[in-house]
């Protein structure tokens, strides 16, 4: 077996955490390729190394005092190296970093050094080969990721490497300029490496024991999702549930490689397995609940709307003209409702309303603000009768008024609209009716 293991910043924040990671890797010989993040926070009051690098670069590139910040970064790595009793000296690396900061090598270069340095430390600690991501992960001149070239070069390089450490988060353009993925991009690197070597498993180690059925800030000690499909994950991630960088899904999904979200501090927990498809029966009717606040609705009424060819297109063209994207569009015979992000819409609301009047001559247009959308997601819903009824029953019992309900034809998710003020109560009610009563 071949496994790629990615460790997040909290998993590598100190020598103590490094030792936990070392134990995890050595415990399973198939964990052959390691993707580290930069050191994260050791406590709530601490700073992430990446943030410190940004601060240091900004000061150095503007001719301001930067040496104290650079020294603080150096101390973080020295503390880890000393705590692991490694014979590793980073003098040359820090000298190069300082030189490049003064030459204004770019924010991407600055941000990437956290992963780069942690990769050197990790390789020394494990006795694995270090492969600089800049040598195997490629971007074009415009900063677009070159997936096919990377897959070919990385696959060839790792095909001749038994065990290696590849820093996450960055790669390079053809001229050697460092380019990073978006924040949290080490997840993407792990996925790219897993695809390139045709891994049997991509383990993503973090500080939680997998995806939770609901937000722990709303539900106390929510259940962990044991198995989730990519499609279910996509629905939940879009509505705000996030443990994994969304773009990390696509490379492994193409190859059918499962992702296992694990907890560095509780390695005995199985975590969450993310798969293309599964015949495993879910523990509950639903897989997860997620949602967002801050929406508003625009309700358009016109008699005989359903007979007007192109009515919906004309309405949506008005939103498009002002750069406002819509989230959901439930409709009736004579009504059509558009849900949009309130913060995006407020600036253009009067222009959009006027545009709708000119485009389709509605009988009536009404807006409602301060709404929240909640996604109830689960592959088990398709085979279960009365799912929507149970949702309505639970919400009614909790005195939550439903503003909208929308179900996709795949029967994978049901979207519910409620007032912002009812958001938390609605999630508690749905969790209780599907999880607590099914335990």
């Amino acid at each position: 077996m071949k496994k790629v293991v990615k460790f997040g910043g909290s998993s590598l924040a100190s020598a103590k955490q490094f030792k936990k990671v070392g134990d995890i890797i050595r415990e399973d010989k198939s964990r052959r390729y390691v993707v580290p993040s930069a050191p994260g926070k050791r406590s709530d009051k601490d700073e992430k190394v990446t943030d410190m690098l940004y601060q240091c670069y900004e000061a150095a590139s503007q001719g301001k005092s930067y040496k104290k910040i650079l020294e603080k970064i150096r101390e973080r790595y020295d503390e880890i190296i000393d705590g692991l009793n490694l014979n590793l000296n980073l003098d040359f690396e820090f000298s190069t970093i300082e030189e490049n900061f003064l030459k204004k090598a770019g924010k991407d270069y600055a941000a990437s050094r956290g992963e780069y340095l942690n990769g050197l430390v990790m390789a020394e600690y494990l006795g694995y080969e270090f492969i600089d991501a800049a040598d195997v992960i490629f971007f074009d001149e415009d900063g677009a990721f070159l997936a096919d070239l990377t897959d070919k070069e990385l696959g060839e390089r790792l095909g001749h490497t038994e065990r290696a450490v590849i820093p996450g988060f960055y790669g390079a353009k053809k001229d050697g300029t460092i380019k990073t993925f978006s924040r949290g991009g080490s997840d993407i690197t792990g996925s790219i490496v897993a695809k390139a070597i045709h891994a049997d498993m991509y383990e993503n180690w973090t500080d939680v024991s997998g995806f939770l059925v609901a937000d722990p800030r709303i539900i106390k000690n929510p259940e962990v999702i044991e198995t989730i499909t990519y499609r279910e994950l996509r629905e939940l991630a879009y509505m705000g549930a996030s443990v994994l960088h969304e773009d990390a899904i696509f490379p492994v999904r193409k190859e059918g490689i499962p992702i296992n979200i694990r907890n560095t501090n509780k390695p005995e927990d199985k975590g969450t397995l993310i798969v293309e498809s599964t015949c495993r029966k879910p523990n509950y009717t639903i897989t997860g609940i997620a949602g967002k606040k801050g929406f508003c609705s625009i309700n358009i009424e016109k008699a005989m709307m359903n007979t007007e060819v192109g009515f919906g297109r004309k309405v949506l063209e008005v939103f498009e003209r002002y750069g406002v994207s819509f989230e959901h569009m439930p409709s009736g015979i004579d009504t059509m409702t558009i849900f949009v992000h309130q913060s995006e819409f407020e600036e253009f609301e009067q222009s959009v309303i006027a545009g709708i009047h000119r485009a389709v001559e509605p009988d009536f247009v009404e807006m409602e603000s301060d709404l929240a959308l909640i996604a109830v997601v689960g592959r088990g819903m398709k085979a279960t009768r009365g799912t929507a009824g149970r949702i309505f029953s639970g919400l009614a019992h909790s005195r939550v008024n439903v503003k909208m309900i929308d179900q996709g034809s795949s029967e994978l998710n049901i979207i519910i609209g409620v007032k912002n003020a009812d958001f938390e109560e609605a999630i508690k009610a749905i969790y209780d009716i599907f999880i607590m009563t099914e335990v």
Side-chain angles (χ1 to χ4, degrees):
M1 278 189 78
K2 289 184 289 188
K3 289 182 182 177
V4 172
V5 288
K6 178 265 175 181
F7 290 90
S10 58
S11 299
L12 301 169
S14 64
K16 182 182 177 182
Q17 289 299 107
F18 254 83
K19 288 175 182 176
K20 291 180 184 178
V21 167
D23 290 342
I24 287 166
I25 294 169
R26 295 183 183 109
E27 186 263 337
D28 185 345
K29 289 182 179 180
S30 65
R31 291 173 179 143
R32 291 165 48 186
Y33 303 97
V34 182
V35 177
S37 295
K41 292 183 178 183
R42 294 163 295 188
S43 66
D44 290 340
K45 295 179 181 179
D46 201 10
E47 285 186 277
K48 295 179 179 180
V49 164
T50 302
D51 292 334
M52 293 163 70
L53 283 162
Y54 275 127
Q55 294 166 23
C56 185
Y57 176 75
E58 192 158 331
S61 62
Q62 293 178 5
K64 297 177 182 176
S65 177
Y66 66 89
K67 287 187 179 288
K68 282 187 179 178
I69 309 175
L70 190 63
E71 189 55 36
K72 275 179 70 178
I73 298 167
R74 176 67 186 262
E75 286 171 4
R76 285 290 302 271
Y77 286 99
D78 284 346
E79 185 182 287
I80 293 170
I81 290 166
D82 293 343
L84 298 174
N85 297 314
L86 298 179
N87 182 23
L88 179 64
N89 187 307
L90 296 178
D91 286 348
F92 174 76
E93 304 299 339
F94 272 93
S95 176
T96 304
I97 288 169
E98 183 176 6
E99 186 181 319
N100 285 329
F101 277 17
L102 293 170
K103 287 181 180 177
K104 301 182 181 180
K107 286 185 177 180
D108 281 17
Y109 170 80
S112 73
R113 296 306 88 184
E115 277 75 10
Y116 172 78
L117 293 169
N118 236 19
L120 291 172
V121 176
M122 179 64 78
E124 182 70 23
Y125 180 52
L126 295 173
Y128 283 21
E129 181 178 335
F130 174 79
I131 297 176
D132 189 353
D135 296 334
V136 288
I137 293 179
F138 305 105
F139 295 84
D140 67 17
E141 292 176 4
D142 297 321
F145 173 57
L146 297 170
D148 292 340
L149 178 61
T150 295
D151 193 54
K152 179 176 177 290
E153 295 291 330
L154 187 57
E156 286 180 5
R157 179 71 182 271
L158 294 180
H160 299 93
T161 309
E162 186 65 23
R163 299 179 183 277
V165 173
I166 307 100
F169 189 37
Y170 72 94
K173 299 178 184 180
K174 288 183 179 180
D175 64 359
T177 303
I178 297 296
K179 178 76 178 73
T180 61
F181 293 105
S182 58
R183 202 73 188 257
S186 292
D187 289 342
I188 303 173
T189 305
S191 187
I192 291 165
V193 173
K195 182 178 185 296
I197 63 157
H198 309 294
D200 298 287
M201 179 75 73
Y202 170 29
E203 293 182 344
N204 192 294
W205 293 80
T206 180
D207 54 4
V208 292
S209 295
F211 277 92
L212 302 174
V213 172
D215 189 335
R217 292 168 296 185
I218 299 173
I219 304 294
K220 188 177 180 181
N221 299 321
E223 293 285 311
V224 174
I225 301 170
E226 288 185 6
T227 306
I228 185 171
T229 64
Y230 289 123
R231 290 174 66 206
E232 290 173 301
L233 175 61
R234 179 93 170 86
E235 297 284 351
L236 290 171
Y238 182 72
M239 291 302 284
S242 180
V243 173
L244 184 72
H245 195 299
E246 196 175 337
D247 290 344
I249 296 169
F250 298 109
V252 290
R253 184 175 184 174
K254 285 182 179 179
E255 294 286 309
I257 300 167
I259 305 173
N260 196 188
I261 306 294
R262 302 284 294 272
N263 189 340
T264 305
N265 300 314
K266 293 182 179 178
E268 68 280 1
D269 290 354
K270 291 182 179 179
T272 298
L273 193 65
I274 307 167
V275 296
E276 175 69 34
S277 184
T278 179
C279 60
R280 295 183 192 184
K281 190 177 178 181
N283 292 336
Y284 308 101
T285 301
I286 67 169
T287 299
I289 311 159
K292 292 178 183 176
K293 293 180 180 180
F295 294 94
C296 64
S297 65
I298 301 91
N299 186 49
I300 303 160
E301 291 187 20
K302 186 176 183 182
M304 304 299 289
M305 176 194 296
N306 63 315
T307 65
E308 283 193 37
V309 176
F311 188 95
R313 175 184 56 78
K314 291 173 186 175
V315 170
L316 293 179
E317 277 180 348
V318 177
F319 287 88
E320 182 183 1
R321 194 179 308 143
Y322 293 96
V324 178
S325 60
F326 76 96
E327 292 295 313
H328 289 277
M329 193 174 63
S331 62
I333 297 172
D334 296 327
T335 63
M336 174 182 183
T337 305
I338 315 288
F339 279 78
V340 296
H341 287 278
Q342 192 167 324
S343 58
E344 290 179 10
F345 181 68
E346 282 177 342
E347 183 184 349
F348 307 107
E349 63 171 31
Q350 296 308 315
S351 299
V352 170
I353 298 305
I356 291 171
H357 276 282
R358 286 192 294 269
V360 296
E361 299 178 350
D363 297 332
F364 185 64
V365 177
E366 183 181 32
M367 290 188 289
E368 186 170 4
S369 59
D370 301 322
L371 299 174
L373 295 178
I374 299 168
V376 183
V377 177
R379 61 190 184 278
M381 295 195 300
K382 195 169 187 177
T384 306
R385 291 192 299 271
T387 302
R390 292 177 69 189
I391 292 173
F392 280 126
S393 175
L395 293 175
H397 184 73
S398 296
R399 298 183 181 279
V400 173
N401 185 29
V402 176
K403 295 290 182 179
M404 181 271 285
I405 187 161
D406 190 12
Q407 182 172 17
S409 58
S410 67
E411 296 184 59
L412 188 70
N413 71 326
I414 296 175
I415 306 293
I416 302 120
V418 299
K419 293 291 289 183
N420 278 347
D422 291 329
F423 179 71
E424 286 81 6
E425 195 59 41
I427 286 180
K428 288 176 185 175
I430 296 166
Y431 186 87
D432 284 347
I433 203 77
F434 285 104
I435 307 301
M436 301 306 292
T437 59
E438 289 187 19
V439 170

